[in-house]
Amino acid sequence: MSDNVETELLLEISDLKTHFRTPRGTVRAVDGVSLTLERGKALGIVGESGSGKTILSRSIMGLLPRSGVIREGSVKFRGQEILGKSTKEMQSVWGREMAMIFQDPMTSLNPVMKVGRQIAEPLMLHLGMNKAEARQTAEKLLRDVRIPEATRRLDQYPHELSGGMRQRVMIAIALACGPTLLFADEPTTALDVTVQAQILELINEQRRDRNMSLILVTHDLGVVAGFTDEIAVMYGGKLVEKAPTKVLFERMKMPYTEALLESIPRLDQPSHSRLAVIPGRPPDLVNPPQGCRFAPRCAYVRDRCLTEEPQLTAAETPGHVYACHYPVGSPEYHERRVELSKVSTVVGGSI
Amino acid sequence: MSGTDNLVTTDDATDVVVADEAVKRRLGWGFWLCIGWIVLMIILAFLAPYLSIKDPNANFIDMSGKGRPPYGPSMDHWFGTDKDARDIFSRTLYGARISLTVGFVAIAFGLLVGGTLGILAGYFRGWFDRIISFVFVILLSFPSLVLAIMLTSLIERSLLTISLVLGVLSIAPVGRLARASTLQYADREFVTAARQIGATNRRIILRELLPNVVIPMGALALLGMAVAIVAEGGLAFLGLSVEKGITWGSLIQLGSEGSTTLQKSPWIAFFPIFVLFFTVLALNFAGDRLRTYLDVKESAL
Amino acid sequence: MAGTGKAHLRPEGEALLRVEDLVVEFPVGRTGLKVNAVTGISFDVLRGETLGIVGESGCGKSTTGRAIMQLPRPTSGSIVFDGQDLTKLDKEAMRAARTKVQMIFQDPISSLNPRRKVRDIVMEPLSIWKRGTKQEQAAAVDKVLEEVGIDPQRAAESLPHQFSGGQCQRISIARSLVLDPRMIICDEPVSALDVSVQAQVLNLLEDLKKAYGLTLIFIAHDLAVVKNISDRVAVMYLGKFCEIGASDDLYARPAHPYTKVLLDSIPVPDPNATVGKVAVEGEPPSPVSPPSGCRFNPRCPNASDRCRREEPILREIEPGHFVACHHPLFGGEAPVSVRSA
Ligand SMILES: Nc1ncnc2c1ncn2[C@@H]1O[C@H](COP(=O)(O)OP(=O)(O)OP(=O)(O)O)[C@@H](O)[C@H]1O
Ligand SMILES: Nc1ncnc2c1ncn2[C@@H]1O[C@H](COP(=O)(O)OP(=O)(O)OP(=O)(O)O)[C@@H](O)[C@H]1O
Ligand code: SF4
Ligand code: SF4
Ligand SMILES: [Mg+2]
Ligand SMILES: [Mg+2]
């Protein structure tokens, strides 16, 4: 879709680390992630709960707790390093350049402030609009996010709106100052499927209209499949695979990505189909396992995985990287796959 | 990767256990110091009659020419004596007996009555809850000192009655907390889960709710005990505390009698005040730590 | 009151559970208004069958499940379980009946008492009902814990928060199994779990169902999950059933416009699937004042005047497939009902 648009590198992250000091020890929530994102593109970040998706996106934005955090590496936004910037310096970036939509629209809207004011506030603050202009723009924004009777809604409080409508207001606030990069952290998890479809479509449409970049954080592979250009898979605080969306679904390299996809019940399978499972659970980020972090749960694990940490490697397709010693399609992978299929027919029969 | 394999994925949870211990450690040495002080006070108070300390009621008039009592602190009388030449150190220890008992009985009474009412109100809701909550509101809107003065001036002021009066005052705050935490837990699904396996109300309250509600109330009990001890002191100051026997309150009152006692012989009041202050501080601090610790644990759930 | 029909109920005796005209209302504060959480639904579940109930948030799925357990007692309707009408039982008899129907809840952590040892939690049903000696109870608990993949030794020493979400859900399942129930009502048992863990729990339920000869009611909002585990699926909207049928049929060929909308709204993990079509506008209205006629009419693309006036009744459009709609996607227009004339 962006073939005719000149590509502009908007975001360049290298070796970003975000650690928390806690009584238990240092939590390596994000442990050396490198990423790039072009203007106008949508990047999906997926992974299990606790894999560091939220912390990664907040770390990029610089929205982290004030104390007990170690943040290292580099985050370049439009070629400018923003990692070391102070809160004060970041204030001109937040809202105007980067904005975020949160998971729970109820807790992220101020319950005692009218919707109109919540949208108008950043307009007056960042764009220096006066009250009347801000109100007018707010009304237009509400119309943009398809809220019926926008004029009346300006004077309502968040609790007077339905869940989907509140999320629309959140989106309007995020869009208010025309950011170039929009973060959406599980924007639809709290909503119903029919409303989820509406909201995702709305975000997508606004992104196209405004030539914004989007970072969509979610645990739902279905959501990222339809609405992103690229997908980054996180596991245990690391980026383990990144590829253009189509490539990831069709030619994934990481056994983890494959297992994640296979464990989802699908509508096109008959009922009572046996689901693939990933045994065990995600690693403890205080003492992550040596070598490959997925090794304790991986069906294709070999000795090398336990000692040597796999580095991000480029696959055949441009833009596709993965971190695995024995990726999907390798001879070792096939060999193990054959062994596994034998075992499961034997044991599977004895249930 | 077969079905039966999947059934037995017993993975490790040691990491979480570690976290739990870390939180425990974080109660901190301050907490344990406070608990140490409180325990020391309780032991000393309990053992006072058996310790080889001076008789708290004997008059140690000094004939060697030191003049008239009160005497200041010396090797003989560590905390000095009062104007009747009674040993303040031993009187302070004996005072702990009554002061701590008053604090303890008062809060125990509050926990028993207020806690029970609060839990029942929170669990059963409906009209019972409405009545109980109304009673709590009324109790809370009386100025408690005035209520205490009113009650104590009417009755015979024994250890038990003073404790009970202070206990009555703690019913409403304790009850409100009990009700609030019961409400918070009664809506959790483990209560529904217990009900749907056929547990009776009695069993749900005792086995499911009580263990959860008791802990925040424990924290409040420490604070409440501190309040009761201070309140007893206040009553003593007005001459409305326990009639017979020594309390910290009455010691302080004696030490600040008249207009000149405090200036001329400050030790009479100073040492009891010092002990009272540290005990109340320790109770407050420990209660507060316990509460924050519970908040942390609760959020970890 | 116009029910939603009972054409789909199977002969009495075959069904382990038969619910007729279930109504559950909640008062709205002291306004005199009421939430019509469940309005006149009927369904049955055969022995060994799994019935899935899907629908959007607030449509009354949990209320239906809880009403079967009489938590709280429904406003009206009958619930016949194993030949016994649960709504007519007194408190004591109901307490005993509850041992035969068990429930598993959505939030695995909040459904376990945070301050009791896990093994005691699983033992609790047995000690309430004084089943067997202490040794027998212990043996039964250890057996069922092993079966759901929890180490009994660790369960004896640990509190719930020392286990992961998936493990807590296994513990809940173990607790619901110790009394050897006939039926388990699962209220969104995997919604709070990660996909990888969700698959473990779904497989476990499927295995236990076979091993224990269980009948399941499986409530969820995720259509794919419900399809995976259910034999029959009922689609709910605003306190009513829209459509009920064998799960493979219903998903392959939805007849009710709402079912179609639900299916079209699910984002599928396939980048080639068509996206960008919003299946339906608007959001479900409040159950305090539901629309007249068909409750889906304000959002339905096929709505007609008749839909606004007359409530559709469940009728069979192909063997075992029932729909409550005047203008279904297939199966022909609903015959004009005598009642509405
Ligand atoms: N303030 C904090 N202090 C310590 N650890 C933290 C803090 N915030 C997050 N973490 C830890 O960092 C890790 C990553 O958390 P993050 O919220 O990014 O996960 P996530 O991938 O967004 O998961 P979810 O899907 O559950 O939202 C987790 O293990 C979490 O416990
Ligand atoms: N105790 C109650 N008091 C008042 N209203 C209630 C009560 N329980 C449920 N409701 C209302 O009844 C309706 C149905 O609720 P229910 O919990 O059954 O929905 P659900 O389908 O399970 O939704 P979800 O998917 O969100 O769990 C909702 O509108 C809800 O607000
Ligand atoms: S490196 Fe080894 S353990 Fe890690 S994903 Fe690849 S095969 Fe599995
Ligand atoms: S009855 Fe009418 S409004 Fe209701 S679903 Fe069918 S066509 Fe739509
Ligand atoms: Mg997150
Ligand atoms: Mg529910």
Side-chain angles (χ1 to χ4, degrees):
Chain A
M1 97 188 64
S2 47
D3 287 344
N4 46 0
V5 185
E6 202 184 321
T7 58
E8 176 198 344
L9 201 58
L10 190 69
L11 188 68
E12 196 179 355
I13 303 161
S14 41
D15 203 24
L16 180 62
K17 290 194 175 118
T18 310
H19 298 175
F20 294 97
R21 274 189 292 258
T22 71
R24 283 180 58 206
T26 304
V27 178
R28 299 158 183 276
V30 175
D31 210 11
V33 170
S34 303
L35 273 179
T36 55
L37 181 62
E38 279 164 19
R39 175 95 198 237
K41 296 267 180 168
L43 169 73
I45 301 182
V46 296
E48 282 174 272
S49 182
S51 57
K53 308 181 295 291
T54 298
I55 301 302
L56 174 61
S57 57
R58 294 194 174 211
S59 186
I60 296 172
M61 260 190 103
L63 286 174
L64 288 168
R66 275 157 202 272
S67 60
V69 184
I70 309 161
R71 186 162 161 251
E72 285 166 5
S74 148
V75 179
K76 284 201 177 124
F77 184 74
R78 294 190 148 166
Q80 237 194 41
E81 181 62 53
I82 57 167
L83 189 108
K85 284 198 175 180
S86 66
T87 308
K88 207 159 182 168
E89 292 169 301
M90 284 306 286
Q91 254 147 15
S92 61
V93 176
W94 293 332
R96 297 179 72 164
E97 297 281 4
M98 301 177 174
M100 185 173 259
I101 307 170
F102 299 91
Q103 172 169 346
D104 188 348
M106 195 61 221
T107 54
S108 37
L109 287 173
N110 184 343
V112 295
M113 203 196 276
K114 283 181 185 160
V115 166
R117 248 197 76 203
Q118 298 196 45
I119 308 175
E121 204 105 292
L123 292 170
M124 300 196 285
L125 191 74
H126 289 302
L127 306 183
M129 290 188 185
N130 65 31
K131 229 175 169 172
E133 285 169 340
R135 192 179 160 90
Q136 216 168 10
T137 315
E139 193 179 326
K140 182 183 166 295
L141 279 162
L142 282 187
R143 248 182 256 121
D144 283 351
V145 296
R146 301 245 180 66
I147 291 190
E149 306 169 78
T151 328
R152 192 165 65 86
R153 303 287 180 197
L154 285 175
D155 294 315
Q156 287 188 322
Y157 291 96
H159 71 91
E160 296 174 73
L161 306 178
S162 66
M165 211 105 78
R166 276 183 224 132
Q167 197 56 296
R168 284 168 195 270
V169 171
M170 275 301 301
I171 296 174
I173 294 175
L175 294 176
C177 301
T180 38
L181 175 57
L182 183 66
F183 289 88
D185 190 353
E186 312 254 6
T188 55
T189 310
L191 304 175
D192 276 320
V193 268
T194 56
V195 184
Q196 161 170 295
Q198 299 163 9
I199 296 289
L200 288 172
E201 184 46 35
L202 175 72
I203 294 177
N204 202 28
E205 178 194 288
Q206 293 294 325
R207 175 174 74 85
R208 262 183 273 129
D209 291 355
R210 295 162 187 256
N211 193 24
M212 270 188 313
S213 301
L214 171 71
I215 291 186
L216 179 62
V217 173
T218 173
H219 61 268
D220 189 337
L221 282 160
V223 167
V224 281
F227 294 95
T228 57
D229 302 304
E230 279 186 305
I231 295 178
V233 182
M234 301 259 314
Y235 186 80
K238 294 233 167 214
L239 180 74
V240 293
E241 184 160 19
K242 185 191 169 203
T245 303
K246 251 192 157 127
V247 176
L248 189 94
F249 280 95
E250 282 161 12
R251 294 192 295 272
M252 78 285 282
K253 287 285 184 188
M254 269 296 285
Y256 175 64
T257 313
E258 187 188 51
L260 206 56
L261 263 171
E262 282 177 358
S263 64
I264 311 173
R266 296 178 63 119
L267 282 173
D268 49 15
Q269 291 166 337
S271 60
H272 303 296
S273 338
R274 189 107 197 142
L275 298 168
V277 306
I278 309 176
R281 59 195 244 230
D284 174 19
L285 296 178
V286 174
N287 299 301
Q290 289 231 309
C292 174
R293 293 193 175 176
F294 186 51
R297 306 171 74 191
C298 182
Y300 304 95
V301 59
R302 286 164 194 266
D303 288 344
R304 186 176 163 208
C305 309
L306 300 174
T307 51
E308 185 187 328
E309 185 168 341
Q311 300 301 318
L312 276 183
T313 322
E316 309 85 63
T317 329
H320 185 179
V321 290
Y322 63 92
C324 173
H325 294 309
Y326 307 107
V328 177
S330 67
E332 290 88 349
Y333 170 90
H334 282 300
E335 188 187 312
R336 183 64 61 84
R337 184 112 197 159
V338 173
E339 286 165 27
L340 287 173
S341 65
K342 280 187 206 140
V343 176
S344 66
T345 39
V346 176
V347 185
S350 69
I351 299 173
Chain B
M1 296 300 99
S2 72
T4 37
D5 276 349
N6 305 340
L7 296 190
V8 243
T9 42
T10 33
D11 42 18
D12 220 352
T14 41
D15 46 341
V16 197
V17 181
V18 173
D20 208 37
E21 273 157 13
V23 174
K24 236 173 236 160
R25 246 184 289 124
R26 274 186 66 187
L27 271 175
W29 54 268
F31 174 81
W32 295 113
L33 193 73
C34 291
I35 294 292
W37 173 265
I38 296 164
V39 170
L40 180 74
M41 276 296 123
I42 292 174
I43 292 177
L44 287 179
F46 189 76
L47 294 181
Y50 312 104
L51 295 176
S52 60
I53 53 173
K54 305 212 157 56
D55 180 346
N57 293 317
N59 309 91
F60 297 95
I61 308 281
D62 198 318
M63 300 305 184
S64 64
K66 254 193 188 172
R68 299 165 50 114
Y71 309 121
S74 63
M75 282 310 286
D76 230 16
H77 303 287
W78 296 341
F79 288 6
T81 72
D82 63 11
K83 65 181 196 306
D84 296 331
R86 291 176 298 194
D87 183 65
I88 302 222
F89 178 71
S90 70
R91 285 179 75 77
T92 306
L93 287 197
Y94 273 86
R97 287 170 76 84
I98 294 187
S99 285
L100 290 179
T101 310
V102 167
F104 186 80
V105 173
I107 199 66
F109 182 75
L111 283 177
L112 194 71
V113 178
T116 310
L117 288 176
I119 290 177
L120 293 179
Y123 181 73
F124 288 108
R125 314 284 291 272
W127 59 266
F128 182 71
D129 183 24
R130 257 172 263 148
I131 293 174
I132 294 297
S133 299
F134 185 66
V135 172
F136 287 167
V137 168
I138 301 224
L139 276 175
L140 279 177
S141 39
F142 265 115
S144 45
L145 196 63
V146 174
L147 194 65
I149 292 168
M150 247 168 58
L151 289 175
T152 43
S153 54
L154 293 178
I155 52 173
E156 184 199 348
R157 293 188 294 279
S158 69
L159 178 58
L160 186 69
T161 54
I162 294 289
S163 305
L164 290 187
V165 165
L166 294 177
V168 167
L169 294 179
S170 68
I171 288 179
V174 170
R176 294 249 290 206
L177 179 75
R179 176 177 173 273
S181 29
T182 306
L183 279 179
Q184 178 200 341
Y185 285 103
D187 276 343
R188 294 260 183 111
E189 265 157 2
F190 68 83
V191 174
T192 317
R195 193 169 303 153
Q196 59 100 26
I197 53 179
T200 53
N201 286 333
R202 206 182 119 99
R203 191 173 180 113
I204 291 175
I205 291 174
L206 291 180
R207 294 264 187 126
E208 309 290 342
L209 290 174
L210 202 58
N212 287 294
V213 174
V214 136
I215 293 182
M217 281 172 52
L220 183 75
L222 289 172
L223 301 177
M225 201 164 150
V227 172
I229 291 175
V230 171
E232 185 279 326
L235 286 178
F237 225 86
L238 300 169
L240 288 174
S241 187
V242 183
E243 274 160 23
K244 290 177 219 100
I246 312 160
T247 76
W248 286 341
S250 63
L251 287 177
I252 297 169
Q253 191 246 336
L254 272 183
S256 45
E257 230 176 9
S259 52
T260 52
T261 320
L262 257 183
Q263 280 151 24
K264 285 195 184 141
S265 35
W267 63 87
I268 305 183
F270 177 77
F271 285 106
I273 287 180
F274 179 85
V275 173
L276 175 99
F277 171 75
F278 272 100
T279 307
V280 168
L281 186 73
L283 285 167
N284 272 325
F285 186 83
D288 220 45
R289 277 311 293 162
L290 198 59
R291 216 183 44 213
T292 7
Y293 159 76
L294 291 170
D295 285 347
V296 170
K297 241 184 111 181
E298 188 59 30
S299 64
L301 290 179
Chain C
M1 168 169 312
T4 326
K6 294 180 206 169
H8 59 299
L9 295 186
R10 287 155 296 191
E12 218 144 335
E14 273 178 41
L16 176 65
L17 175 76
R18 193 180 167 100
V19 174
E20 288 185 54
D21 301 319
L22 180 70
V23 176
V24 185
E25 291 164 356
F26 298 104
V28 183
R30 283 189 220 158
T31 55
L33 297 174
K34 55 188 201 284
V35 181
N36 301 279
V38 172
T39 317
I41 61 170
S42 306
F43 61 93
D44 56 9
V45 192
L46 303 189
R47 280 163 227 278
E49 191 178 48
T50 301
L51 172 72
I53 303 181
V54 284
E56 289 179 273
S57 178
C59 71
K61 305 180 297 290
S62 302
T63 306
T64 306
R66 284 166 184 259
I68 297 170
M69 302 293 299
Q70 311 289 300
L71 294 168
R73 280 184 189 268
T75 312
S76 67
S78 73
I79 295 169
V80 180
F81 177 81
D82 210 8
Q84 230 179 357
D85 189 343
L86 302 183
T87 57
K88 301 223 161 60
L89 297 182
D90 63 27
K91 232 172 119 187
E92 212 32 51
M94 186 56 222
R95 227 165 60 80
R98 279 192 186 137
T99 60
K100 289 189 265 173
V101 195
Q102 291 288 300
M103 200 156 178
I104 307 170
F105 301 93
Q106 169 166 0
D107 185 345
I109 294 167
S110 98
S111 58
L112 303 175
N113 189 336
R115 304 211 197 276
R116 296 188 66 187
K117 294 276 169 24
V118 162
R119 199 158 168 280
D120 296 336
I121 293 176
V122 178
M123 177 97 68
E124 180 76 3
L126 294 176
S127 77
I128 287 177
W129 293 100
K130 306 197 174 59
R131 292 254 179 102
T133 62
K134 273 266 171 299
Q135 285 83 359
E136 283 165 355
Q137 290 184 357
V141 168
D142 289 352
K143 174 169 166 284
V144 64
L145 279 172
E146 295 273 5
E147 225 149 331
V148 299
I150 300 287
D151 177 15
Q153 189 58 43
R154 231 187 90 199
E157 293 159 3
S158 315
L159 295 171
H161 73 271
Q162 294 170 326
F163 289 90
S164 70
Q167 290 174 319
C168 284
Q169 202 55 289
R170 288 159 188 270
I171 294 163
S172 289
I173 294 175
R175 170 176 58 189
S176 72
L177 284 175
V178 283
L179 285 175
D180 219 349
R182 310 284 302 279
M183 176 176 213
I184 298 187
I185 300 170
C186 313
D187 190 358
E188 313 242 14
V190 296
S191 307
L193 306 177
D194 248 322
V195 276
S196 65
V197 182
Q198 166 179 304
Q200 296 172 11
V201 172
L202 287 174
N203 284 351
L204 174 68
L205 277 174
E206 196 83 70
D207 293 339
L208 292 172
K209 189 185 149 188
K210 283 195 204 106
Y212 283 73
L214 291 170
T215 304
L216 296 183
I217 293 183
F218 191 96
I219 296 170
H221 63 266
D222 185 328
L223 284 106
V225 166
V226 169
K227 177 177 185 186
N228 180 273
I229 198 155
S230 310
D231 302 305
R232 256 158 83 88
V233 172
V235 180
M236 255 186 119
Y237 186 77
L238 264 189
K240 299 250 181 199
F241 276 179
C242 302
E243 185 167 8
I244 181 165
S247 50
D248 288 326
D249 292 346
L250 187 131
Y251 281 79
R253 236 159 52 107
H256 197 283
Y258 177 64
T259 314
K260 177 92 172 60
V261 156
L262 269 185
L263 285 169
D264 287 347
S265 301
I266 308 175
V268 277
D270 176 0
N272 297 316
T274 45
V275 290
K277 50 166 177 41
V278 167
V280 67
E281 292 294 336
E283 291 172 48
S286 148
V288 176
S289 48
S292 64
C294 172
R295 294 191 167 183
F296 189 51
N297 83 63
R299 303 172 76 196
C300 180
N302 300 4
S304 68
D305 267 352
R306 182 181 178 193
C307 304
R308 284 180 270 277
R309 230 177 28 238
E310 182 192 334
E311 183 175 349
I313 304 282
L314 272 176
R315 66 201 166 90
E316 191 165 28
I317 45 167
E318 63 182 348
H321 190 164
F322 299 81
V323 66
C325 173
H326 298 310
H327 319 293
L329 302 174
F330 72 93
E333 298 280 299
V336 176
S337 99
V338 198
R339 224 185 292 172
S340 73

